[in-house]
Structures are given as structure tokens and as C-alpha cells.
Amino acid sequence: MLVFIGMFLVIIFQLAHLQLFSSEYKAQADMQGTFRKVIYPDRGIVYDRHHNAILQNSVIYDLMLTPNKLKGIDTIGLCNILGIDTATFRKKVIEVIIKNGRSRASIFEPLLTNDKMAKLNESLYRFAPAFYLQERSVRSYPYDAAANVLGYTAEVDTNFLKKHKDEGYVSGDYAGMTGLERTYEKVLMGERGIEHWKRDNKNRLTEKLENGRYDTSAVAGQNVYTSIDINLQELGEKLMQNKLGAIVAIDPKTGGVLCMVSAPTYQPKYLTGNERRKHFSELFLNPALPLLNRTVSATYSPGSTFKTLQALVGLHENVITPDFTVTCGGAFYGCGTGKPMRCLDYGTFNLRNAITVSDNTYFATVMQRVINNPKYPTIDSSLTAWDNYMAAFGLGHKLGVDVPSEKRGNIPTPAYFNKSFGAGKWNYCSFRSVSIGQGEVDVTPIQVANEMAYIANKGWYITPHVVDSIEGGDKYQILEQYRKRHNAIDIPDSIFEVVHDGMQGVLERGTGGRAKVEGITICGKTGTVENYYRGVKQENHSFFCAFAPRENPKIAIMCVVENSGRFGGTYAAPIVGLMIEKYLKDSIVDKRRLAQIEELSKLTLIPKKIYAEVRRQDSLRHSKDSSYLISKGYIKIVKDTTGIDDDGEDDAISKMIKDKQALEKEKSKKDSSDKKTIIRTEAILPDNKRKPAADSINKTNR
């Protein structure tokens, strides 16, 4: 009797606990009858300098899945709507579980097409509660330009979540991966909202729970206003079609970037939509590296454009005067007769004329005088002083531009030469080619454009930046650094005037005549840059940089056309001239100038090495070649060069790796069962058909 009474009391107490005190079953009942919907905010809109929207939003839908609610789902019906088979369905379910567990909703099918949306809307109740539609704001591009500047967004993966674990991201969120989308992610992303809805007996959403009492509103991201002139950007991209290289233009008074052209580029919308992963894979593995933002991430020897800086240093150090002359008899013999450095212009030149005709011997002599200046006790101290000038000009270090993956370039230091030659075992003749912008000096395009802004301003610059202002205020103080002038060395205006004279002469009677624009006084400098690829000399790069007008400059600009095989005045100069005309005159109407635009845009100057790489790579669509590229580290080289990871986008690469591993495992089993040693040798191919080695990649260096 006591046992019976005790059991009865336990049951009574448990029923009372479940009905009166415990919230477990209430919560489960609420979950069956309610739905928690995440509201993703609109990302901030990006405007150009004329308040044209260059990056805005459109609405799409993702199909979401909660795996532990899959029982009883009409799998065949859903597969028919999505256009997949049941094996693919199972694979995608497994991927969702691995990615985010069984009980949390994850994206099953992203970025649904209008056709799929229409079919799902009619019959979604058949697939609830496991599946539901998630509205999302995605990026749209009114202009087909500035892809490398704007960047792209992508769904965050586990690696991203680990790197940004304290920033509130959850699986299924999208975040900026490159360009302004990455730099200004906090500004553009906004804040997610939550809505609570009631369900009916068919799992259809009916009305908000308690009239939205528990809802929180999504907060849209802040809009940003840039210095980009989208029309100038479009012209630059047109002129650089079928070429490798870059154009960067800056407003010297503000440091605002007017255009930032990296060639080759791609259509911004190419990395949106339901085929983005396929497109990303194509771009990622393209030997011409369209994902590489050459304006900030590629480094080049500056060639003769560097001579303007040598002139500033020589004049300020008082080792030369404007009237100091040097005679060129065919080469620079200041280091003896062994392999003298050639010059192309015979004659005697003062500083202004030496800049105008770009005489090598003159500037080799200038730098030799700087390095051998008796006021410095050692060569280490004189080179250090020269390094300080270069740092003041914005070279040898990152400028801090608000576009990711900026490289620092290279300015040689005493430590570098001590390591290379040994302490006390080097002198000016060890690095004489630096005097004309070759050898150990490397710069990025943004640094060269900024160098022009420095010269235009007669001794100062503001760090180049794309974003000018943020609507609603700069609460993260990102823009503060772009308000300060940098003028580390006080060089008199009179010195700059001499250099300006020589640069104006470049267009009026020197090597840059093709950059002339009627009615505008332009100061410029050409550069013809020698470069090597895998130890083999390549066709010269074509460089040109300038600012205009000379009085009250409004644009500082540079252009590099890789491996054009011609002089700086041949291709880069006319491109810069057209860009200056477009910006300062707002339009180009002269028929001859318009014809020149068409002529340059149709001109194909893709280097031969790129075509060779395409042939040797022979496409990742062939599994044999794909596994070869992986085994040789090609994928890692691309990531290291571009600074871009696949961020979970590259299904083709992931599948390729898995297939390769499975194939090797199968072969291993077969070899073991046959008890034979099989030796496989690579076929002997002609050079133009041989598969690429690990370093067969277009690393844009000198």
C-alpha cells in the first residue's frame, strides 16, 4: 500500500511540475506554432563623386533548411522544382548538417531564380517546416565597372566565423570579402532584425505573434560617398581592354581616388546570382589574374618616371643645380667601362632637358653624387638619407589606402645590401640601375599616382582614399587618417618649379607628346620598364604618369601597360591624355579623339606568356590536369599572389581535390592487390604544351 501511494504521489507531482512549473513542453508547442524569421538589412548604398549610385541592392530569396525537421517531406517534388536528383539532394543535406548542425537553419539553395521562386511559392507548405524562404538583400550594379574597387560579398564560412568570432556573424550571413565591401563592412552591413510569426496546421505563416510585440527591426547599413568618377572609371576600363596593367587617378588636393582601373577586370555582377561559385572558380584560376587588384597589389620597377624624384633629391641635397650639365656619349661610365649603363640620347643636358629627354647618364650621375656626398660619413648613412626621401615621397611602405591587399613595394636599404654583398663590400655601382628606376626598386601604381600628387602639390600629399564621407557620421573613425597632410621634408617651391619645367617639356618637345590635350598644360614623365619572367627578359612595360593642369592641379594620374613591347610614350601616354581630357573637360567630342579611344580599346596587348599559360594549364575541366595543378601548388600560388582565398566559394576546386584523393586511394589499393610496382613517367611534351610548373603564374613584378 505504501509503495502504491508513493508511486501515485510521484506521478501527481510530476504532472503538476510539467503543467504548472516546467516550460519545456510549452516551448516545444510554441516552436510548432510559431516561426522565428531573421530579417536581413539592406547594405549601405555606395555613390560616386556626382552622387550616382554605383552599388545598390535588390531582393532575392534563399531556400533554407532545418535538417531535424525533414521527416515526411515530399523529396521528389522538391527535387523536381529545384532541378536536382535525389543523390544531389542527400549530398546537400549532408553538407548543411556538417556546416551548421541538425537543428539550425542553413542555406540549402541560395539566390533562387524567378522561375524556381514561382514554383516554390505555390507549394512551399508541402515542404514546411523543414524548408522555408529567407528574403535577402543582395548587391546590384547599375554600372558595369569598378569591380576590383567595389569588391564582392559572399556567404561566410567556418574560417570566416573563426576569424571574426566576436563580431556577431552567424552561418548564413553574407559579408564583404574584397574591395570597399571588405574595408567598410562594419559601415555597410547594418543590423539584423527578428520577426516572430504564427503558423497554421499546414505550417503556413498567418500573422505576427502578439502583433509584433517581440519583433526587432532591421537597421540598414550606412550609405557611403566616394571620390570615384564612374564615367572616368568606365573610360579607363574601356581603354585597358585586352591589356594587362593599371590606371590610377587622384585628386591631388584631397587625396580622393578618381578612378582605379585594374586590367583585366570582370563584370561586378559576375560574382552574384546562383552561378557565382562557378564564375569565381573561373576568375580565380585565370592566368591573367582578373581578381588581382593591380592598382594596389602589383609591383613594378617604375623606370624613368623615377627620375623626377632623383631630381628633387639632387637639388635639395645641393649636389647639383638646375644648370648642372652632363654629357651622354652613349652610356654612363661613372662605374668604369665594364658593362656601362646605356643612354639613348647623345648630347649635353641640364636638369630640365635631362627630364624632358629622359637621359639615363644624367640621373645616374645625380644619384652617384647623392650617395657619395661627403657630408655623410659612410655609404650606409648616405643611402639611409636617400631612403628617407623615398619614404617622404610615399614609397617603400604602404600608404594606407582604403582598398584591401595593398603592397608596400620596395626601396633598397643598407641592411638589404649588407645581407646581399656583405658589410662594406658594396658601393653605388652595386645598385646604379636604381637611379633610373630599375633594379631593386619596386612601386605599386597607387604609389606612382600619389608621387605625382606630391610633385603637383609641391611637397605634400594626403593618403589616397576612395571613400570621402559616410552618411550618418564616421562612428568608427575610419576616415580620420584621410584628412591629414604628409610633408615630412621641407623642399622649397623653387625646386619643384624646375622639375615642373622639365615635365612640361616631356609633352611639348620630349617623349610624351602623345599625351597632349589641347588647351591644357600637362606635366608628365614617360617610363620604359625592363622586366623578367622566370629569368627570361620580357617585352618592356609602358609607363606614363602626369598631373594637370600645371597651375592649380586637379588630377594626378599614372598608367602602366604590361609587356607592351614599346616605349612609355607609345601606349600609356595617349591613354593618360584621354583620361585627363575626359576628367577636366567632362567629355570628349573631337572625332579624332573619339576614334583614338576606339583604336586603343581594340588594341590587343595581352603578353604571350599569358596565352602560353592558358595552353599549358589546359583548363581545370580535365581532372588529370586539375590534379597536376594541385600537386604543383598552383592553387596556393594564385591565393598568395592575389591575396584572395576561396572563402568557401570554390566548389570546383574542393571537388577536384576530393576526386584526386579518391583516385590516388583507388590506385593504391589496386597496386597493392596486384603486388606490382608501377612507375609512371610524365610524357615528354614540347615547351608550349608542357604543364605549368609551380611558379608559372603571372606575378606582376619588375
Side-chain angles (χ1 to χ4, degrees):
M1 181 64 70
L2 290 173
V3 170
F4 178 78
I5 292 171
M7 292 176 64
F8 181 76
L9 291 173
V10 168
I11 292 171
I12 293 296
F13 280 122
Q14 181 64 10
L15 288 171
H17 170 72
L18 292 175
Q19 294 186 44
L20 301 176
F21 305 109
S22 174
S23 61
E24 178 182 354
Y25 288 97
K26 181 179 184 300
Q28 289 186 18
D30 287 343
M31 284 181 63
Q32 291 297 323
T34 62
F35 174 71
R36 180 179 180 273
K37 183 178 182 180
V38 177
I39 305 300
Y40 287 96
D42 286 343
R43 287 178 73 85
I45 299 173
V46 178
Y47 296 92
D48 84 338
R49 68 188 297 105
H50 301 298
H51 292 190
N52 298 308
I54 56 176
L55 179 55
Q56 53 191 25
N57 303 298
S58 61
V59 176
I60 56 90
Y61 289 86
D62 295 334
L63 181 62
M64 308 295 290
L65 166 65
T66 307
N68 63 0
K69 297 181 180 180
L70 263 175
K71 291 181 181 179
I73 295 298
D74 181 6
T75 302
I76 301 297
L78 184 61
C79 287
N80 288 336
I81 291 174
L82 297 179
I84 60 176
D85 55 29
T86 53
T88 303
F89 179 88
R90 287 193 293 271
K91 178 184 175 184
K92 290 168 79 73
V93 171
I94 292 170
E95 289 173 350
V96 166
I97 293 172
I98 292 172
K99 180 179 179 181
N100 213 20
R102 294 176 180 273
S103 59
R104 296 184 65 179
S106 295
I107 297 175
F108 182 82
E109 180 85 4
L111 309 171
L112 294 168
T113 63
N114 291 335
D115 184 51
K116 289 180 181 178
M117 269 295 301
K119 293 177 181 179
L120 280 170
N121 273 328
E122 293 178 358
S123 52
L124 189 62
Y125 69 91
R126 294 162 50 197
F127 315 121
F131 289 93
Y132 66 91
L133 293 175
Q134 175 69 65
E135 181 180 306
R136 186 187 298 280
S137 173
V138 295
R139 291 312 217 179
S140 62
Y141 304 87
Y143 298 87
D144 258 340
N148 281 294
V149 184
L150 299 173
Y152 65 90
T153 59
E155 184 185 353
V156 300
D157 62 4
T158 52
N159 290 331
F160 186 96
L161 292 174
K162 287 177 184 177
K163 292 177 184 177
H164 306 274
K165 59 183 178 180
D166 298 324
E167 298 179 24
Y169 293 100
V170 296
S171 183
D173 286 354
Y174 275 58
M177 296 296 170
T178 60
L180 298 183
E181 294 275 31
R182 175 71 256 151
T183 304
Y184 292 91
E185 168 68 9
K186 288 182 179 180
V187 174
L188 295 169
M189 67 181 291
E191 298 176 15
R192 292 183 297 272
I194 303 293
E195 290 180 352
H196 299 270
W197 289 78
K198 292 180 181 179
R199 295 179 187 270
D200 63 13
N201 62 340
K202 289 187 177 180
N203 287 306
R204 292 175 297 197
L205 302 184
T206 56
E207 60 181 352
K208 287 189 176 181
L209 183 66
E210 296 193 23
N211 295 319
R213 177 182 175 186
Y214 303 107
D215 295 351
T216 57
S217 299
V219 178
Q222 294 174 268
N223 299 333
V224 300
Y225 294 87
T226 72
S227 54
I228 293 290
D229 185 320
I230 194 62
N231 295 319
L232 188 68
Q233 179 79 25
E234 286 183 317
L235 175 60
E237 292 187 10
K238 180 175 183 176
L239 291 168
M240 290 298 289
Q241 286 178 167
N242 304 311
K243 303 168 187 68
L244 269 59
I247 304 173
V248 180
I250 297 172
D251 182 338
K253 300 303 181 189
T254 66
V257 174
L258 304 174
C259 76
M260 196 176 250
V261 176
S262 180
T265 186
Y266 58 95
Q267 293 180 313
K269 63 185 178 184
Y270 202 59
L271 293 181
T272 62
N274 58 356
E275 291 196 330
R276 59 180 299 157
R277 295 181 180 182
K278 173 188 172 184
H279 295 161
F280 183 90
S281 179
E282 292 172 0
L283 294 172
F284 189 77
L285 296 170
N286 186 326
L289 300 179
L291 290 175
L292 173 68
N293 188 351
R294 285 172 162 83
T295 64
V296 295
S297 299
T299 59
Y300 308 84
S301 294
S304 294
T305 62
F306 200 60
K307 293 172 181 175
T308 55
L309 303 183
Q310 299 285 33
L312 292 175
V313 177
L315 289 171
H316 194 242
E317 284 289 296
N318 294 315
V319 297
I320 63 168
T321 66
D323 296 325
F324 172 74
T325 60
V326 171
T327 299
C328 174
F332 170 68
Y333 295 104
C335 292
T337 56
K339 293 185 178 179
M341 190 164 64
R342 291 175 55 219
C343 63
L344 300 179
D345 299 282
Y346 292 79
T348 300
F349 308 103
N350 62 19
L351 179 57
R352 291 178 176 85
N353 290 331
I355 294 173
T356 295
V357 302
S358 197
D359 183 64
N360 288 346
T361 298
Y362 192 97
F363 292 99
T365 303
V366 171
M367 188 172 184
Q368 185 176 44
R369 286 181 163 227
V370 171
I371 297 302
N372 295 337
N373 192 339
K375 82 174 186 179
Y376 299 108
T378 65
I379 191 171
D380 285 47
S381 60
S382 63
L383 182 58
T384 298
W386 183 85
D387 287 339
N388 290 337
Y389 278 101
M390 296 302 119
F393 300 152
L395 305 182
H397 59 86
K398 293 181 181 180
L399 290 168
V401 62
D402 55 352
V403 176
S405 304
E406 182 188 4
K407 296 294 186 291
R408 62 185 295 274
N410 184 64
I411 294 296
T413 63
Y416 173 84
F417 290 123
N418 285 337
K419 184 177 180 179
S420 299
F421 298 102
K425 296 181 179 179
W426 54 275
N427 55 36
Y428 167 71
C429 293
S430 305
F431 58 91
R432 60 184 177 177
S433 58
V434 169
S435 64
I436 59 169
Q438 297 279 175
E440 292 79 7
V441 60
D442 274 337
V443 296
T444 62
I446 192 75
Q447 288 175 332
V448 177
N450 185 64
E451 163 197 324
M452 287 295 102
Y454 178 89
I455 295 175
N457 291 332
K458 298 179 181 177
W460 60 270
Y461 69 87
I462 294 174
T463 301
H465 56 279
V466 176
V467 172
D468 276 342
S469 64
I470 300 172
E471 191 174 287
D474 182 17
K475 60 183 178 181
Y476 300 106
Q477 297 185 331
I478 301 174
L479 304 181
E480 190 63 29
Q481 60 184 311
Y482 304 124
R483 304 288 183 258
K484 301 173 183 175
R485 286 190 179 191
H486 299 273
N487 53 346
I489 297 178
D490 186 18
I491 299 176
D493 286 0
S494 57
I495 287 179
F496 285 99
E497 287 292 344
V498 174
V499 175
H500 289 190
D501 288 343
M503 293 176 69
Q504 183 176 336
V506 169
L507 279 87
E508 294 180 352
R509 57 186 184 281
T511 54
R514 296 193 69 192
K516 283 184 181 180
V517 178
E518 187 177 349
I520 300 174
T521 302
I522 301 173
C523 296
K525 186 70 191 77
T526 54
T528 305
V529 182
E530 293 185 356
N531 63 101
Y532 293 80
Y533 175 69
R534 300 176 67 187
V536 178
K537 190 177 186 307
Q538 303 296 304
E539 299 282 359
N540 293 331
H541 298 326
S542 177
F543 257 70
F544 190 77
C545 55
F547 64 87
R550 176 171 176 172
E551 301 300 327
N552 191 25
K554 293 181 173 61
I555 182 172
I557 185 170
M558 73 80 60
C559 173
V560 53
V561 181
E562 292 182 24
N563 304 122
S564 72
R566 301 296 297 165
F567 300 109
T570 308
Y571 299 124
I575 288 174
V576 166
L578 289 165
M579 294 290 284
I580 289 174
E581 182 174 357
K582 171 66 176 175
Y583 182 69
L584 295 182
K585 294 188 175 183
D586 194 47
S587 62
I588 299 175
V589 295
D590 184 270
K591 290 183 179 179
R592 289 174 301 173
R593 301 289 280 172
L594 292 171
Q596 190 177 25
I597 291 174
E598 295 304 318
E599 179 185 349
L600 285 168
S601 67
K602 293 175 182 176
L603 182 66
T604 299
L605 295 173
I606 299 292
K608 294 177 182 177
K609 63 186 178 185
I610 299 299
Y611 293 118
E613 287 297 336
V614 172
R615 289 194 299 269
R616 293 167 73 178
Q617 183 178 329
D618 196 25
S619 175
L620 283 178
R621 288 172 298 188
H622 305 290
S623 60
K624 182 175 70 173
D625 294 342
S626 302
S627 61
Y628 184 88
L629 289 170
I630 292 171
S631 68
K632 292 299 183 183
Y634 184 91
I635 306 303
K636 182 179 185 302
I637 292 171
V638 174
K639 290 180 180 180
D640 292 344
T641 303
T642 61
I644 297 174
D645 209 344
D646 56 44
D647 292 312
E649 301 236 13
D650 203 354
D651 283 354
I653 295 174
S654 300
K655 181 178 183 301
M656 192 169 62
I657 294 172
K658 291 176 183 176
D659 290 347
K660 176 177 180 287
Q661 292 171 342
L663 183 63
E664 288 177 346
K665 187 175 181 180
E666 184 181 340
K667 286 181 179 179
S668 177
K669 287 181 180 178
K670 186 176 185 300
D671 293 348
S672 176
S673 63
D674 292 344
K675 296 182 180 180
K676 294 179 181 179
T677 302
I678 301 174
I679 301 174
R680 295 179 174 84
T681 58
E682 183 183 353
I684 299 174
L685 301 174
D687 286 344
N688 64 342
K689 293 185 179 180
R690 190 176 296 276
K691 299 169 184 174
D695 60 347
S696 297
I697 187 67
N698 179 33
K699 288 185 177 178
T700 318
N701 282 319
R702 66 179 186 279

